[in-house]
Amino acid sequence: SRGLGDVYKRQDMRRGVIHNSFLCNKKPGLADLLARGIEITKESLIQVIQRTTIPNLYLLTSGSSMPNPTELLIGDKIEKTLQILQKQFHYIIIDSPPIEFIPDAFVINQFVQNMLIVTRYAETNLNALKKKLKEYEKMKNTIKGLVFNGSNDMSEKKYQSYSYYKY
C-alpha cells in the first residue's frame, strides 16, 4: 500500500451527507481544513480523514458549512491537499455538486486526471448536459464516461421473471 489505504473519497461540500452512509462524523472535514489558517500537511490531513467500515476506504467529509465553498477550492491549499492525498492513496474519488448549477466540478477539473459524470436515469436532459459541458471545453479530455444511476423499478421487473429454468 502507498499509504493510508486504497481509496479515499471526498464529498460535496454544499450538501454533504455521505458521512451518514459510512457512519462517520461530518466535522471536521475538508471545508474546516481549507478555511483554517494552517499549512496543509500530511499530519493535518490525517486529523480529518476518517476510516470507514469498508476496508481500505477512507473519507474526508465536507465538514462545516461555509458561505461560499467554491472559493475554498480555488488556490494553493486544495492543490496541496490533493498532492498529499495522491501520495497516500491509490485512488481518490471526488464527489462534486451538480454541474448544472454550481461550477465546483469545473474548478476541481484542473486537479484531476479522470472524471465520470454521474446522472439520474430518465431525469437528466442529455441535450442540456451536452450543452453545459460544451461551455467548459477544458473538461473534454478528462471526462472518461457517463454513469446512469437511479433506474426505475419497471426496467428491473421486466427481467425478474426471466430464468434459465423456464424453458
Side-chain angles (χ1 to χ4, degrees):
S1 177
R2 291 170 44 188
L4 294 172
D6 291 329
V7 180
Y8 149 79
K9 182 166 173 54
R10 201 278 306 162
Q11 65 173 320
D12 176 354
M13 291 196 313
R14 295 172 189 280
R15 294 178 44 196
V17 295
I18 203 164
H19 62 280
N20 295 325
S21 298
F22 292 103
L23 305 174
C24 292
N25 297 319
K26 185 172 183 175
K27 302 176 198 174
L30 181 63
D32 305 290
L33 184 70
L34 296 176
R36 282 194 237 156
I38 63 167
E39 182 182 352
I40 305 295
T41 64
K42 181 179 174 182
E43 291 72 29
S44 63
L45 274 167
I46 288 173
Q47 292 177 11
V48 293
I49 293 174
Q50 300 176 59
R51 182 182 301 267
T52 68
T53 56
I54 299 170
N56 294 316
L57 180 67
Y58 293 81
L59 181 68
L60 175 54
T61 64
S62 58
S64 300
S65 296
M66 299 286 166
N68 191 354
T70 302
E71 289 180 11
L72 295 175
L73 300 175
I74 299 170
D76 297 338
K77 280 188 155 186
I78 188 67
E79 186 173 7
K80 178 75 171 172
T81 300
L82 291 170
Q83 287 172 352
I84 293 169
L85 291 172
Q86 287 172 344
K87 293 176 184 173
Q88 299 300 313
F89 297 95
H90 293 289
Y91 301 99
I92 300 172
I93 300 169
I94 301 174
D95 179 14
S96 71
I99 62 173
E100 183 177 3
F101 308 111
I102 303 164
D104 292 7
F106 304 108
V107 173
I108 293 167
N109 183 63
Q110 64 186 315
F111 306 113
V112 300
Q113 297 169 350
N114 300 302
M115 186 177 287
L116 289 174
I117 303 291
V118 179
T119 185
R120 240 165 156 42
Y121 177 79
E123 289 188 28
T124 300
N125 180 323
L126 294 180
N127 289 327
L129 176 62
K130 186 176 178 180
K131 182 179 176 184
K132 189 68 170 178
L133 291 174
K134 281 185 178 182
E135 293 176 24
Y136 298 93
E137 188 67 25
K138 290 181 180 180
M139 288 184 66
K140 186 165 69 173
N141 295 331
T142 55
I143 297 174
K144 302 301 180 193
L146 183 65
V147 176
F148 286 99
N149 69 4
S151 66
N152 67 29
D153 293 336
M154 293 306 288
S155 62
E156 294 171 13
K157 288 179 183 176
K158 182 168 88 174
Y159 296 103
Q160 285 179 348
S161 64
Y162 178 79
S163 168
Y164 287 105
Y165 302 108
K166 290 191 176 185
Y167 284 109

